[in-house]
Amino acid sequence: MLDKVKHIILVLSGKGGVGKSTVSTQLALTLSESAFKVGLLDIDLCGPSVPYLLGLEEHDVHQCEEGWVPVYTSAEKNLAVMSIGFLLKNRTDAVIWRGPKKTAMIKQFLEDVAWEDLDYLIIDTPPGTSDEHITVMENLKTVNADGAIIVTTPQEMALEDVRKEVTFCKKTGIKIIGIVENMSGFVCPNCSECTNIFSSGGGVALAELAKVPHLGTLPIDPRVGALAGSGKACVKELPECTTSKVLRSIVENISADK
């Protein structure tokens, strides 16, 4: 049930493996650290990595009269999480479903999770533009979603897929909040020098071409990668790193005038 949610933000990517779920998770943690009440909905049915990233894999979800009860990351209940990963016996289980069953599950997640009052709901979507995305859009027609953050990497192939994602958003009437370029350079853990092992600037160029905001460029930082599975917020553990600065900037951007 989304009637108690003030703001809804989709996180999209044109292809898998670009760090979309990591960005979704750290964005949710950053909002939580900024004193907002946050929900994180993982509807990437074939690759539900959010429970792992937050260190919640051993948790189960239950049902109440209002629907599914999300998993909370702390006693303060500042971050609530829902994912199909909680319904699988272990991380290696595959979701082998045809489209209609996936559609039904996504619809249930959007309609039947008992979120309490939330300032923000971050929705981690599957990569690409598929039936699942159309289901999300149809179910969000009755609520006023803020828009989408698109995650890409600098390689030309990833940028080509993001161009399709931008077209999808414009055709379906989704506002694009901005583009995040991830894995842009490698930060040496010893000297902190950043080396562009793939390339750099593709996200900026694409944002200019599509006439949408560029929200920031995130490098590959082993210190940030080490937080996976801990549920710890990058902005709290590594406040001076580039990733934390970009995350704070994104939160300031999406929370301005709201």
Side-chain angles (χ1 to χ4, degrees):
M1 294 175 289
L2 302 176
D3 54 333
K4 295 182 179 180
V5 180
K6 295 177 184 175
H7 301 286
I8 298 173
I9 295 172
L10 304 170
V11 182
L12 309 176
S13 69
K15 64 191 299 294
V18 301
K20 170 182 55 62
S21 293
T22 298
V23 171
S24 299
T25 302
Q26 285 298 330
L27 177 59
L29 287 165
T30 303
L31 284 163
S32 178
E33 289 290 329
S34 302
F36 292 110
K37 294 200 72 173
V38 186
L40 176 56
L41 177 59
D42 177 12
I43 56 171
D44 188 352
L45 300 186
C46 294
S49 54
V50 165
Y52 163 71
L53 292 170
L54 288 172
L56 300 173
E57 286 186 299
E58 301 304 316
H59 289 70
D60 296 318
V61 290
H62 307 281
Q63 286 191 312
C64 64
E65 290 183 3
E66 291 79 20
W68 293 102
V69 179
V71 173
Y72 292 93
T73 59
S74 67
E76 291 75 25
K77 293 189 174 184
N78 287 333
L79 177 56
V81 184
M82 188 63 195
S83 168
I84 194 174
F86 295 131
L87 306 178
L88 303 176
K89 291 182 179 179
N90 59 66
R91 195 193 310 169
T92 59
D93 286 351
V95 178
I96 308 173
W97 293 349
R98 292 188 181 273
K101 192 169 182 181
K102 288 182 181 179
T103 297
M105 177 57 76
I106 290 174
K107 187 174 181 180
Q108 185 176 9
F109 275 174
L110 289 169
E111 294 179 352
D112 297 334
V113 176
W115 305 109
E116 295 183 3
D117 293 332
L118 293 181
D119 295 308
Y120 288 92
L121 176 64
I122 308 299
I123 303 180
D124 182 18
T125 67
T129 53
S130 60
D131 284 352
E132 291 96 315
H133 292 83
I134 295 171
T135 301
V136 173
M137 298 311 112
E138 288 177 345
N139 279 269
L140 293 182
K141 282 181 179 177
T142 56
V143 296
N144 189 21
D146 292 55
I149 292 173
I150 302 176
V151 181
T152 186
T153 51
Q155 301 98 314
E156 185 60 33
M157 184 61 73
L159 292 171
E160 284 293 333
D161 288 330
V162 169
R163 288 187 182 96
K164 299 172 187 174
E165 202 76 41
V166 169
T167 302
F168 173 82
C169 287
K170 290 184 175 179
K171 284 187 175 181
T172 55
I174 307 168
K175 176 188 174 185
I176 300 175
I177 296 171
I179 292 174
V180 174
E181 181 178 310
N182 195 25
M183 304 183 192
S184 182
F186 171 78
V187 176
C188 174
N190 297 317
C191 67
S192 297
E193 182 178 346
C194 187
T195 304
N196 293 323
I197 54 177
F198 295 131
S199 61
S200 183
V204 178
L206 181 57
E208 291 176 354
L209 182 67
K211 295 181 173 56
V212 298
H214 173 249
L215 297 177
T217 298
L218 302 174
I220 299 171
D221 189 332
R223 299 171 300 168
V224 177
L227 296 177
S230 69
K232 294 179 180 178
C234 180
V235 292
K236 186 175 181 181
E237 301 298 318
L238 303 165
E240 297 306 315
C241 77
T242 299
T243 300
S244 293
K245 292 175 182 177
V246 171
L247 286 167
R248 283 195 292 267
S249 174
I250 293 172
V251 167
E252 289 172 8
N253 180 293
I254 63 179
S255 61
D257 303 322
K258 292 177 182 175

